[in-house]
Amino acid sequence: MSNTNGVDGSSVPNGSSETRDGSQRYLSTRGDDYDLSFEDVVLKGLASDGGLYIPEEIPSNVDWQSWKDLSFPDLALEILSLYISPSEIPRDDLKGIIDRSYSTFRAPETTPLKHLHDNLYLLELFHGPTFAFKDVALQFLGNLFEYFLVRKNAGKTGADRHHLTVVGATSGDTGSAAIYGLRGKKDVSVFILHPKGRVSPIQEAQMTTVLDDNVHNLAVTGTFDDCQDIVKALFADPDINSTHNLGAVNSINWARILAQIVYYFYSYFSLVKSANLTIGDKVRYVVPSGNFGDILAGYFAYRMGLPAEKLVIATNENDILDRFWKTGMYEKKPVRGLEAQGGLQVDGVKAHEDGVKETLSPAMDILVSSNFERLLWFLAYEFAAIAGMDDEWNKKQAGQEITAWMKQLRSNGGFGPVYQDVHTSARRDFESERVSDSQTVETIKTYFNKINYVLDPHTAVGVTASVRSMARSNVPHISLSTAHPAKFAGAVELALKDEADFSFEKNVLPPEFVGLESKEKRVTEVENSWQTVREIVKKQVEEELKA
Ligand SMILES: *Cc1c(COP(=O)(O)O)cnc(C)c1O
């Protein structure tokens, strides 16, 4: 892909070309909410016009090459400083927040890079407290919330204190990572809704064995989608919003994307050193994707100068992203006509039924990818800039396009095909691969037999896509490993049960998980009703505030 950040002098627009150091502001992808501080964006989560927050400028002309020998936390400090004005968080304070966030990781390199074979490297992102990549962002977000609240509440007592009520839905991973990021934090209550009996036993235990007073697990009689609908209803409810400051921890929160930019650069430098490359050599990144948050961070890194030849999206059978890259249509269900033309036949399977398909990689089981809206904004902005008006006009155009597309998504279940230029830009920077459950299982088997390494099913989706991509490109591939295999015992056992040398206890289970399921638990069962959940939230927060 051509480099769009101006480092090599190419001319794709990037807003103004200078980073206005010290004054990063944020706007909504839908255009009506703008000129916000980082703090506002983090505490609000979702913009009031329904859009997602993005930085006004992606820092360009960044001297990223000089970061080569930095430790993970020091690198994080450099990168995050470009998006958080020192007038908002002084550099020393930011350093403290970052250092605290990554001190909880078990690996000294925080996110180590492992050579698998040939040109393929695995970026292990699961060495945080809950053994999933979401810890990288949520450890940081938890400390960030704490920092803002301590500052807001200095010298205040009782009802004057700003209290944050975090409400989130989870199919497993987000919930436990959020709980570990927020447990015991002052002035924050956290409510995590999970579908009762539908998260893996280990994930359920990870969440419900956290007994801090500010942590509340709600097991909802229903599906993950029901949980998400309840959370959405709460965020839209004037009643609870008039009395509570609701906070979001899912990947619509900009701070999560931001924290994830770091490991794209860090793994690049690790690779350069271990494989004796020259800085500037191109690399491909392959990312198991659901809500598009992880790979979007890669896009920001690329726009800042990271020498990514392509970013490769790996989806499971919930393949809305893969279909967009192939057809330019973004829709929950495909158009009949296209399917008849064979354009949407993938792996010989008609992949598109109603609703979400349950797969072996559940953290990627999504109908629509919320963060895709952020990428679309940048593509629409680039498209608007072709007309050559001023920056303000381009931003306004982009916001209008996004608003129209999202309206169609809501009312018709999809939109597109997008403008040819927009699709071309998307294909310039990204490729996509769709991986079925049976291929996921095959890959887990292959890597266990070939190199005695156990991949979790999400990582296996990425590795399968990596192998396909390696047939097209001979640059080194960094495949992101998003979870430890012990979190997804069912899929791993399914793949490896017949292998003679395999034992879950011996090959997979980390000591931290031993006995977890029999520890004391705290969880409240609730019916599938957002009003009921609202009353529980109000009551629990009231009790916490009294305590
Ligand atoms: C959340 C998650 C993903 C998907 O990441 P997105 O940012 O939603 O694309 C992939 N794998 C695992 C294990 C996850 O928890």
Side-chain angles (χ1 to χ4, degrees):
M1 63 199 189
S2 70
N3 207 328
T4 56
N5 61 29
V7 167
D8 64 2
S10 77
S11 60
V12 178
N14 186 36
S16 76
S17 60
E18 287 313 306
T19 301
R20 293 167 309 146
D21 203 42
S23 62
Q24 183 68 267
R25 305 291 288 179
Y26 288 85
L27 79 159
S28 159
T29 48
R30 308 216 183 150
D32 286 340
D33 204 5
Y34 52 87
D35 196 24
L36 283 104
S37 69
F38 178 73
E39 177 170 351
D40 282 342
V41 161
V42 170
L43 291 177
K44 281 177 73 176
L46 191 70
S48 39
D49 59 9
L52 305 185
Y53 290 120
I54 47 173
E56 279 187 3
E57 316 290 345
I58 300 180
S60 61
N61 300 329
V62 174
D63 183 21
W64 62 271
Q65 293 90 340
S66 67
W67 299 336
K68 177 166 162 272
D69 294 313
L70 296 180
S71 67
F72 188 97
D74 289 347
L75 177 63
L77 180 60
E78 292 308 320
I79 293 174
L80 272 49
S81 298
L82 297 171
Y83 290 91
I84 306 170
S85 305
S87 58
E88 275 200 66
I89 304 183
R91 193 173 162 95
D92 281 351
D93 290 3
L94 184 59
K95 182 171 163 42
I97 294 169
I98 291 169
D99 289 350
R100 280 198 296 286
S101 302
Y102 300 110
S103 66
T104 57
F105 278 61
R106 294 175 304 278
E109 314 96 309
T110 312
T111 60
L113 188 70
K114 188 184 159 61
H115 185 209
L116 287 186
H117 60 87
D118 302 309
N119 251 339
L120 181 57
Y121 296 78
L122 198 67
L123 174 53
E124 292 184 343
L125 299 173
F126 54 73
H127 296 282
T130 75
F131 293 75
F133 91 99
K134 290 185 171 71
D135 287 326
V136 178
L138 282 162
Q139 286 289 303
F140 173 67
L141 183 61
N143 287 312
L144 206 51
F145 279 155
E146 179 176 53
Y147 177 82
F148 287 141
L149 289 170
V150 166
R151 186 161 72 184
K152 271 187 191 296
N153 290 332
K156 293 189 183 153
T157 51
D160 286 347
R161 292 183 76 85
H162 189 98
H163 189 90
L164 188 66
T165 302
V166 167
V167 189
T170 188
S171 57
D173 270 1
T174 305
S176 48
I179 287 169
Y180 276 77
L182 293 169
R183 63 187 296 181
K185 299 266 189 260
K186 205 169 161 55
D187 298 314
V188 185
S189 307
V190 51
F191 294 84
I192 298 295
L193 285 64
H194 70 263
K196 180 169 179 272
R198 293 180 192 237
V199 299
S200 81
I202 271 291
Q203 290 183 316
E204 205 251 358
Q206 278 185 307
M207 293 191 283
T208 57
T209 57
V210 176
L211 301 177
D212 300 67
D213 290 338
N214 72 329
V215 171
H216 309 280
N217 281 287
L218 305 181
V220 177
T221 322
T223 63
F224 170 60
D225 283 329
D226 294 329
C227 296
Q228 251 183 330
D229 287 344
I230 293 173
V231 171
K232 278 186 204 148
L234 291 173
F235 273 87
D237 176 41
D239 174 357
I240 191 154
N241 276 286
S242 68
T243 49
H244 292 66
N245 304 299
L246 295 186
V249 286
N250 50 12
S251 60
I252 60 166
N253 196 309
W254 163 250
R256 283 190 54 181
I257 310 293
L258 178 58
Q260 291 170 182
I261 298 174
V262 179
Y263 50 71
Y264 282 88
F265 280 102
Y266 191 72
S267 60
Y268 181 77
F269 296 130
S270 304
L271 176 68
V272 163
K273 283 178 248 178
S274 71
N276 250 321
L277 304 184
T278 306
I279 292 238
D281 287 352
K282 301 268 184 195
V283 171
R284 282 187 173 217
Y285 290 83
V286 186
V287 188
S289 294
N291 262 328
F292 205 73
D294 201 1
I295 195 161
L296 183 75
Y299 177 75
F300 278 93
Y302 157 65
R303 293 285 305 269
M304 292 165 71
L306 183 74
E309 189 202 49
K310 288 275 184 202
L311 299 164
V312 182
I313 302 154
T315 76
N316 63 22
E317 293 167 45
N318 295 293
D319 58 355
I320 185 167
L321 292 166
D322 185 62
R323 284 182 281 124
F324 172 79
W325 258 268
K326 297 208 156 84
T327 66
M329 300 288 300
Y330 189 75
E331 52 183 356
K332 295 178 188 173
K333 281 187 293 178
V335 176
R336 275 217 181 91
L338 271 173
E339 196 162 36
Q341 291 161 26
L344 289 159
Q345 290 272 125
V346 193
D347 307 332
V349 180
K350 284 222 182 62
H352 324 301
E353 35 256 271
D354 282 310
V356 179
K357 181 161 186 203
E358 281 186 34
T359 73
L360 295 175
S361 41
M364 289 150 60
D365 288 349
I366 45 88
L367 213 50
V368 296
S369 301
S370 37
N371 276 294
F372 182 61
E373 177 169 346
R374 285 185 162 119
L375 175 69
L376 268 180
W377 188 92
F378 286 99
L379 299 178
Y381 172 83
E382 190 183 321
F383 180 57
I386 296 171
M389 305 287 277
D390 62 34
D391 189 53
E392 201 178 321
W393 186 85
N394 300 341
K395 285 186 167 131
K396 204 162 150 226
Q397 282 297 111
Q400 283 172 0
E401 292 292 359
I402 299 298
T403 305
W405 281 330
M406 291 304 144
K407 210 164 147 193
Q408 285 177 48
L409 180 62
R410 236 184 359 265
S411 52
N412 309 339
F415 59 84
V418 296
Y419 307 110
Q420 189 60 48
D421 283 329
V422 168
H423 197 224
T424 303
S425 305
R427 292 171 66 111
R428 176 195 62 211
D429 299 343
F430 296 85
E431 284 181 4
S432 81
E433 290 290 347
R434 170 188 182 277
V435 177
S436 68
D437 269 356
S438 59
Q439 290 162 325
T440 305
V441 164
E442 269 320 298
T443 299
I444 296 174
K445 271 191 201 155
T446 303
Y447 279 79
F448 179 68
N449 288 320
K450 194 150 113 179
I451 57 168
N452 198 27
Y453 189 94
V454 182
L455 300 166
D456 106 283
H458 307 80
T459 306
V461 167
V463 168
T464 309
S466 299
V467 171
R468 291 186 200 158
S469 165
M470 286 163 75
R472 297 190 291 268
S473 164
N474 54 18
V475 304
H477 280 58
I478 293 179
S479 203
L480 275 58
S481 174
T482 50
H484 188 286
K487 290 200 81 158
F488 298 95
V492 170
E493 299 260 26
L494 176 73
L496 299 179
K497 62 181 185 310
D498 296 330
E499 306 305 311
D501 296 341
F502 178 72
S503 137
F504 192 80
E505 280 66 38
K506 184 165 66 68
N507 298 99
V508 179
L509 198 67
E512 289 86 345
F513 284 7
V514 176
L516 189 62
E517 284 165 59
S518 51
K519 277 193 182 164
E520 185 184 349
K521 294 178 182 171
R522 191 157 59 83
V523 55
T524 308
E525 286 182 21
V526 286
E527 59 185 292
N528 179 11
S529 146
W530 72 269
Q531 290 94 340
T532 308
V533 171
R534 179 179 64 189
E535 297 322 305
I536 291 176
V537 170
K538 284 183 171 179
K539 191 165 145 276
Q540 299 272 17
V541 171
E542 202 180 311
E543 278 174 22
E544 262 178 70
L545 290 178
K546 266 193 254 153

